Amino acid sequence: MSRTNLIVFGTRPEAIKMAPLVQKFLKNKNFVTKVCVTAQHREMLDQVLDFFEITPDFDLDLMRPNQNLYSLTATIIENMKPVLEEVKPDYVYVHGDTTTSMAVGIAAFYSGAKICHVEAGLRTFNRQYPFPEEFNRQLTGKIADYHFSPTELSKSNLLAENTKEENILVTGNTVIDALLYGIDKVNAENFKDAEIENLKTILNFQNKIILVTGHRRENHGDGLISICAALKTIAEKHPEVEIIYPVHLNPNVVGPVNELLGGIKNIFLVSPLAYPAFIWLMEKSYLIITDSGGIQEEAPSLGKPVLVTRTTTERPEAVEEGTVILLGTNTDSIIEETEKLLTNVDYYEGMSMLHNPYGDGKSAERIVNFIEAL
Ligand code: UD1
Ligand code: UDP
């Protein structure tokens, strides 16, 4: 008798990182696999579903403008009940550290399904940084039955919390499966993409392109103001540089960023890019400034230096290997480090080596094999 999977996600990064698993399970005849999106994100989620050609079986359509954590958590749990009752899954898969992951984990526990946590064991050990993600992933780790850790380090974090070793599998991060699939598709001869064509008209690729993203809740307010001040100074002092910032749709980000950086000649503020255009642009960039988790994992595979506007990271592997520097949000530190990378060729080259601390593109396959063998 075939077993039933329910794969659930809600935001852009979860969708990118779960897409390879959805694709693999849908091809496997030993499982019935259903996909549910909470749609904690809407436009930014739909962009990913389009690219990976995923049609969810259930779409809870829960995003509300400037939503808060209380109501989002409560509505996810409530809205998962009928889905879980209809599908009666043997296994529910959640990803990482969002409110969707944590709330779906709780609902899945109530349903009696086995809970499979993809991207398990990342830790900063500080519940306020990143907020609320560190709390979400610790809680999801407690709820989960099976833990798919991207690296040995994330596995050791789980072991230190007394998680049973036989329930942990080091898989690599599915973000690399997605990246390799994406890069292949984008570089295929017949691939046409309106966003990429548009980027070619607005940016001058003879210049050094700095790609920026930022959205973390703990950076809202002062942190974001300080980052924007650094970007403004860099743009003014370096006309040979073009800064492109696909601005996250969170109103606490869009508002201040447009106000502080709008109208500067070599700063281009654009809407969030769909995944193909974004990875194409990462490849073309000179350097990346970000507080994103996923981008810290992708950039080493593309050999791009990353300045992280956070003081802690749950992804220390690339910091140790030297492609990623943790800077925090201090304006002077961001300017100083960016200028060093713009002017010191040896320093730049030292940070631009290609390496893959986060996986080899076979993570989803390992997860499927593990579940199949249970
Ligand atoms: C969420 C996750 C964060 C993850 C990030 C990835 C939580 C608590 N936060 O943060 O861990 O790193 O996604 O991007 O789970 N919005 C839109 N359209 C969209 C997406 C967002 O308009 O497609 C706006 C809405 O007004 C929404 C707001 O952004 O209410 C905030 O979205 P939310 O998912 O709560 O927070 P993020 O900052 O996106
Ligand atoms: N990304 C994208 N378009 C953008 C910015 C990012 O497709 O305009 C992709 C990026 O390649 C990475 C993921 O979105 O895979 C990261 O998402 P985000 O930074 O929102 O969340 P985090 O990883 O910090 O949770």
Side-chain angles (χ1 to χ4, degrees):
M1 215 176 68
S2 60
R3 290 174 282 167
T4 303
N5 291 317
L6 180 65
I7 302 181
V8 192
F9 47 89
T11 65
R12 169 174 67 191
E14 290 165 79
I16 292 168
K17 292 167 167 187
M18 285 297 225
L21 190 62
V22 171
Q23 291 176 334
K24 279 266 175 307
F25 265 132
L26 285 177
K27 283 193 204 128
N28 189 314
K29 297 286 170 264
N30 294 323
F31 293 90
V32 172
T33 296
K34 302 284 178 194
V35 175
C36 172
V37 293
T38 62
Q40 174 180 334
H41 282 175
R42 187 71 276 171
E43 303 91 313
M44 289 161 58
L45 172 73
D46 293 342
Q47 289 178 323
V48 182
L49 296 175
D50 279 355
F51 180 65
F52 288 95
E53 299 170 29
I54 294 173
T55 309
D57 299 283
F58 301 88
D59 187 332
L60 306 182
D61 199 21
L62 294 180
M63 194 195 84
R64 298 291 172 268
N66 208 8
Q67 61 208 356
N68 65 72
L69 298 175
Y70 305 84
S71 59
L72 181 61
T73 304
T75 47
I76 292 172
I77 296 177
E78 278 210 328
N79 281 272
M80 281 307 296
K81 180 172 181 277
V83 177
L84 289 159
E85 287 175 350
E86 184 179 330
V87 178
K88 298 188 181 55
D90 297 294
Y91 305 101
V92 173
Y93 299 78
V94 295
H95 185 279
D97 55 21
T98 66
T99 294
T100 289
S101 328
M102 179 270 292
V104 172
I106 292 173
F109 174 74
Y110 294 154
S111 81
K114 294 283 183 206
I115 297 151
C116 306
H117 190 199
V118 181
E119 198 182 83
L122 278 64
R123 296 287 183 268
T124 63
F125 300 105
N126 180 338
R127 291 210 303 197
Q128 301 303 320
Y129 296 94
F131 177 90
E133 289 83 5
E134 177 70 10
F135 169 77
N136 286 342
R137 58 183 163 237
Q138 289 194 18
L139 196 57
T140 309
K142 278 276 167 268
I143 303 168
D145 295 281
Y146 303 114
H147 310 258
F148 299 110
S149 287
T151 65
E152 289 293 338
L153 181 70
S154 41
K155 174 179 173 178
S156 68
N157 292 335
L158 289 169
L159 290 175
E161 292 171 4
N162 296 323
T163 309
K164 283 192 185 145
E165 186 160 14
E166 65 265 30
N167 293 338
I168 310 173
L169 181 71
V170 176
T171 58
N173 198 311
T174 55
V175 76
I176 305 300
D177 304 29
L179 183 67
L180 299 181
Y181 169 89
I183 293 278
D184 263 9
K185 210 165 154 179
V186 167
N187 289 335
E189 229 172 83
N190 55 357
F191 185 76
K192 289 270 170 292
D193 185 83
E195 273 187 332
I196 294 179
E197 294 313 310
N198 184 46
L199 289 171
K200 288 180 187 163
T201 66
I202 61 177
L203 294 171
N204 176 356
F205 290 96
Q206 306 305 317
N207 288 330
K208 286 179 175 158
I209 308 289
I210 300 181
L211 174 59
V212 179
T213 79
H215 69 84
R216 297 245 84 84
R217 268 181 163 69
E218 67 275 13
N219 281 349
H220 292 173
D222 290 347
L224 197 55
I225 293 170
S226 180
I227 296 165
C228 288
L231 297 174
K232 186 165 189 264
T233 304
I234 294 162
E236 285 167 355
K237 281 175 73 180
H238 296 276
E240 79 283 9
V241 160
E242 294 191 355
I243 297 178
I244 177 154
Y245 188 160
V247 187
H248 192 290
L249 295 178
N250 192 319
N252 304 295
V253 177
V254 190
V257 167
N258 281 307
E259 193 178 309
L260 296 165
L261 297 178
I264 299 171
K265 138 169 132 335
N266 51 343
I267 298 188
F268 301 88
L269 304 178
V270 295
S271 300
L273 293 168
Y275 187 61
F278 191 78
I279 56 181
W280 180 88
L281 186 56
M282 269 201 287
E283 268 201 314
K284 300 274 176 293
S285 298
Y286 183 79
L287 109 95
I288 301 171
I289 301 178
T290 189
D291 62 15
S292 161
I295 296 169
Q296 288 176 61
E297 294 157 343
E298 293 161 338
S301 289
L302 300 172
K304 300 296 169 183
V306 186
L307 303 182
V308 176
T309 49
R310 296 174 48 184
T311 46
T312 55
T313 184
E314 56 289 305
R315 297 166 168 93
E317 294 85 353
V319 177
E320 274 151 31
E321 292 191 23
T323 1
V324 169
I325 297 181
L326 280 185
L327 273 185
T329 56
N330 180 278
T331 303
D332 293 338
S333 312
I334 298 170
I335 297 171
E336 199 178 305
E337 200 58 43
T338 302
E339 291 192 321
K340 204 162 155 192
L341 282 164
L342 287 172
T343 54
N344 184 334
V345 178
D346 292 340
Y347 185 64
Y348 179 81
E349 280 175 2
M351 269 186 84
S352 314
M353 66 281 196
L354 276 175
H355 58 123
N356 297 309
Y358 299 110
D360 58 1
K362 298 196 168 81
S363 307
E365 191 180 313
R366 291 189 184 99
I367 296 172
V368 173
N369 291 343
F370 178 94
I371 298 290
E372 209 160 18
L374 284 175

